[in-house]
Amino acid sequence: MKKVLIFSALLTLFSTADGAAKGDFINRKIASTDAVVSIDGFSFQIDEPVVCDNGAEGVITGFFPNGDISIRFLGAPLHMSPHLRVFRNRLAKKEGCSSSLPEYCVGINIYDDVGNSGIVTGIFSDGRVAFTAATDTYGVHFDAQPTQLGLKQGCTSDHYCAGDRVVHETLQSGKIMAVYSDGDVAVKFDLKSHGDELTDKLSTSKLALSK
């Protein structure tokens, strides 16, 4: 007997004397619940927690022959099947660093491109990262290229660092919240004309360091 996933249900596949599956199961697409599988340079295993690019967390339950992966979503409603078959590139490991920008690792604090503070929660095989935003109370995981996210630590090549006070060429003052891989910085200005605090992604050529 061998345990397999058939149409997202955990069943037992019985073999006939000659080793062939019973007719009831012939030509079914099955996912093996054995093993560790290496996909696109990533090693996945059964029961491993992962992050999906639909924003949810899940646990790996099986591997299909074509490389698709079966996962069970955490907290799925009772009226819905908790299993989903997904393409392997849709899943992020909850450890490691981005292959495109290795300084972006799980656990690193980031600033997204719309001004939200967050933390990296997963790494996709294509270099994208999953992250949660501090302002999101539902714990949804977003995904983005690392180039879209600023690090809340470190400095640019011209020595503008996260935490520095700056003055913009329009004489508005603010604080550097994050540093981007292209050398730009995220600046939260003290005041805008309408009174709101906003964050802008800016070139350091437009900024002067201040106290």
Side-chain angles (χ1 to χ4, degrees):
M1 293 188 297
K2 180 179 180 181
K3 289 183 178 179
V4 296
L5 284 170
I6 301 181
F7 296 132
S8 299
L10 186 64
L11 303 176
T12 301
L13 179 62
F14 293 91
S15 296
T16 59
D18 61 3
K22 281 189 175 181
D24 187 41
F25 293 147
I26 288 178
N27 295 326
R28 297 290 181 90
K29 294 180 179 179
I30 65 174
S32 170
T33 58
D34 299 331
V36 174
V37 173
S38 181
I39 300 171
D40 297 335
F42 275 19
S43 177
F44 289 107
Q45 59 187 350
I46 299 299
D47 294 330
E48 178 179 352
V50 289
V51 176
C52 187
D53 64 4
N54 67 1
E57 291 190 56
V59 174
I60 291 178
T61 54
F63 303 105
F64 288 89
N66 71 341
D68 287 356
I69 297 177
S70 174
I71 65 171
R72 182 181 70 251
F73 281 124
L74 304 180
L78 293 177
H79 66 281
M80 294 176 59
S81 171
H83 291 279
L84 180 70
R85 176 174 177 163
V86 298
F87 186 62
R88 57 189 179 273
N89 285 349
R90 294 186 60 193
L91 297 181
K93 291 183 69 70
K94 298 183 71 174
E95 61 183 13
C97 303
S98 169
S99 59
S100 57
L101 287 173
E103 61 267 37
Y104 287 75
C105 303
V106 171
I108 291 293
N109 292 314
I110 54 88
Y111 217 70
D112 72 17
D113 55 1
V114 293
N116 294 315
S117 178
I119 187 169
V120 175
T121 55
I123 305 295
F124 292 90
S125 61
D126 61 6
R128 286 177 299 148
V129 299
F131 66 98
T132 54
T135 54
D136 183 75
T137 58
Y138 297 99
V140 174
H141 298 264
F142 304 92
D143 65 281
Q145 293 293 340
T147 52
Q148 297 174 268
L149 306 173
L151 292 176
K152 294 181 68 176
Q153 60 189 37
C155 304
T156 66
S157 60
D158 50 356
H159 309 298
Y160 285 75
C161 303
D164 284 348
R165 296 285 305 174
V166 291
V167 176
H168 189 256
E169 60 185 11
T170 60
L171 301 183
Q172 297 177 88
S173 61
K175 180 181 179 180
I176 295 177
M177 305 302 296
V179 177
Y180 290 86
S181 60
D182 63 2
D184 285 356
V185 294
V187 177
K188 176 172 281 189
F189 290 107
D190 299 330
L191 292 173
K192 284 281 192 174
S193 58
H194 50 69
D196 292 332
E197 288 189 342
L198 297 175
T199 303
D200 292 332
K201 183 176 183 293
L202 297 168
S203 168
T204 55
S205 65
K206 299 179 181 296
L207 303 171
L209 292 171
S210 68
K211 294 183 178 181

